[in-house]
Amino acid sequence: MGYLENAACNGRRPKKIGPQRIYSRPRLVKRLVAERDVARFVVAPSGFGKTSLGLEYAASMFSFRGVHWLDAGIIAKTLIARPAQLDLVVFDDVPFLADARSECFSHEIDALLEAGCEVLVTTTPAFGAIADAQRDCVIVGARDLLVDDCELSS
């Protein structure tokens, strides 16, 4: 249970995660907010701001309260059974998963969603096929993460 307790943000930004300065991406946060009842996947190469987008979403929507920031596999029923508030689970930088593992991961996501928890997953395009195992999801891709003129001017 120590790992789960360490994954809880408890109202604080995760230590050693992403750059200290985040470039605000309100257009993408709005897209993530629009469909909160399905898993959201952020799929782009390294350096495109996947983790930063996750940080901005967790900060703006939850102030890191009820947020668990995970960078390794975890069992949904263990998280759900915890007495602590569970609003958002971020699976950051998910590596390649074989088909069987991808299907298991998809079931974990479904269990979290059914429990009323939001799920956000970040991964690279090479491993983005994990989203294929999810029956309904939102995918924010590399093209979406490119800064538009409005974001650049701000």
Side-chain angles (χ1 to χ4, degrees), residues 113-137:
L113 292 168
E114 288 170 12
C117 179
E118 293 187 40
V119 176
L120 181 66
V121 179
T122 71
T123 188
T124 62
F127 309 134
I130 60 172
D132 295 340
Q134 199 62 35
R135 65 179 179 262
D136 194 13
C137 65

Side-chain angles (χ1 to χ4, degrees), residues 21-114:
R21 182 172 182 199
I22 295 177
Y23 296 97
S24 183
R25 306 301 301 274
R27 174 180 55 88
L28 296 177
V29 170
K30 182 178 178 182
R31 184 169 170 193
L32 294 174
V33 168
E35 298 199 48
R36 297 175 75 176
D37 58 341
V38 299
R40 279 76 44 91
F41 290 82
V42 181
V43 182
S46 296
F48 268 65
K50 300 180 301 290
T51 299
S52 294
L53 178 59
L55 285 168
E56 182 177 4
Y57 182 76
S60 63
M61 296 303 297
F62 300 99
S63 300
F64 293 111
R65 288 183 178 79
V67 173
H68 285 67
W69 195 277
L70 306 172
D71 57 8
I74 212 68
I75 299 171
K77 69 179 184 177
T78 306
L79 279 174
I80 294 167
R82 293 190 68 226
Q85 181 180 353
L86 184 63
D87 293 323
L88 171 67
V89 175
V90 178
F91 293 97
D92 191 29
D93 203 18
V94 174
F96 171 77
L97 300 174
D99 290 343
R101 296 288 294 150
S102 186
E103 187 174 330
C104 288
F105 183 58
S106 181
H107 290 306
E108 295 297 312
I109 290 171
D110 288 339
L112 290 166
L113 292 168
E114 288 170 12

